[in-house]
Amino acid sequence: MKIIAQSTLRHFWQQYPDAEQPLKAWYAETSKAKWQTPHDVKAKYKNASVLKNNRIVFNIKGNKYRLIVACHFSAQRLFVKFIGTHSEYDKINAETVELEM
């Protein structure tokens, strides 16, 4: 999968250094993946939540942080839509949130 907006992840771990290694590990694993369906994602990340609008929520660092991506399986692309703390995640709509630039 090609992950769009790696710079967003980098910016986040500069604010939250304890997220750096878990995000780098997620990025390394996910960039090698060739997911075709949500079931493929769940096979690798059992705690991931598959939502409407092709959104997937990943728990990062033992659920301390949440990462939302929009997944386009046919194009093999993931678009980062949100990365934040669990409390920040609780304040947004995971199915519609967009990155603020």
Side-chain angles (χ1 to χ4, degrees), residues 1 26 35 37-38 41-42 45 48-58 67-73 78-79 82 94:
M1 302 295 286
W26 175 86
W35 297 327
T37 68
V41 178
K42 292 291 283 181
Y45 294 99
S49 299
V50 178
L51 308 176
K52 295 178 188 173
N53 299 327
N54 294 316
R55 298 285 176 107
I56 304 170
V57 181
F58 293 94
L67 171 63
I68 301 172
V69 300
C71 185
H72 297 274
F73 293 105
L78 293 177
F79 297 87
F82 172 86

Side-chain angles (χ1 to χ4, degrees), residues 20-52:
E20 181 175 2
Q21 290 310 312
L23 284 170
K24 282 182 174 179
W26 175 86
Y27 186 90
E29 292 172 356
T30 303
S31 63
K32 294 176 188 169
K34 301 215 182 294
W35 297 327
Q36 298 298 314
T37 68
H39 298 294
D40 296 337
V41 178
K42 292 291 283 181
K44 175 66 179 165
Y45 294 99
K46 296 193 182 345
N47 291 326
S49 299
V50 178
L51 308 176
K52 295 178 188 173

